[in-house]
């Protein structure tokens, strides 16, 4: 009886949520805004929010955040980049960073590793709305978008 009820769609609420995430994908359920969410403000929540290439492309259409390339050496950039700060120097000179620690910042590098490190450093400095491009420029190009070269 229980198995047939589950097959008929009578899943428990937790199982329904899990199934929705699997069917729709986690990115489809996340808000498009780059700002903090209540879950992110909770203790133990990640200090840096990953953002996918599709969400970043959408956000770039109405850009209201600072986009920073942290990759070294230079391998290209995403159009609309505001600053180039090496990931290992992100906190050394804050003149290129927003003075407002609540400003939205999106970081990226080639693969996502350097931007994750830089994002954690910004979070440690008190920046509360930091995202990094999951998969970096590699994911950006894989999604069918181009990089700009200086």
């Amino acid at each position: 009886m229980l198995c047939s009820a589950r097959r008929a769609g009578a899943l428990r609420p937790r199982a329904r949520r899990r199934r929705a995430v699997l069917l729709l994908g986690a990115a489809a359920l996340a808000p498009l805004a780059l700002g903090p969410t209540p879950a992110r403000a909770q203790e133990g929540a990640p200090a840096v929010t990953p953002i996918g290439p599709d969400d970043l492309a959408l956000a770039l259409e109405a850009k209201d955040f600072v986009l920073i390339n942290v990759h070294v050496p230079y391998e290209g950039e995403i159009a609309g980049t505001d600053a180039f700060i090496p990931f290992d120097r992100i906190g050394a000179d804050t003149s290129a960073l927003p003075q407002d620690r609540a400003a939205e910042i999106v970081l990226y590098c080639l693969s996502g590793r350097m931007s994750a490190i830089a994002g954690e450093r910004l979070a440690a400095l008190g920046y509360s709305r930091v995202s990094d491009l999951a998969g970096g420029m590699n994911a950006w190009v894989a999604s069918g978008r181009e990089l700009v070269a200086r």
Side-chain angles (χ1 to χ4, degrees), residues 23 57 60 65 71 76 84 87 103 109 113 120 125 128 136 146-147:
L23 292 174
L60 282 168
F65 57 92
H71 189 75
F84 302 91
F87 81 101
C109 64
R113 186 183 63 82
E120 292 299 325
L125 290 172
S128 61
E146 294 187 14
L147 296 175

Side-chain angles (χ1 to χ4, degrees), residues 51-61 63 65-71 74-84 106-112 115 132-143 145-150:
I51 183 171
D54 294 336
D55 291 336
L56 178 57
L58 185 62
L60 282 168
E61 291 176 11
K63 190 170 178 287
F65 57 92
V66 178
L67 183 61
I68 302 174
N69 182 344
V70 298
H71 189 75
Y74 181 83
E75 296 275 347
E77 63 193 77
I78 295 171
T81 298
D82 298 301
F84 302 91
V106 177
L107 305 170
Y108 70 93
C109 64
L110 186 61
S111 67
S115 58
D132 86 288
L133 177 59
M137 291 184 276
N138 290 336
W140 183 260
V141 170
S143 72
R145 295 174 176 90
E146 294 187 14
L147 296 175
V148 178
R150 282 196 261 167

Side-chain angles (χ1 to χ4, degrees), residues 1-11:
M1 173 88 169
L2 182 59
C3 290
S4 62
R6 283 192 182 156
R7 272 185 255 132
L11 298 173

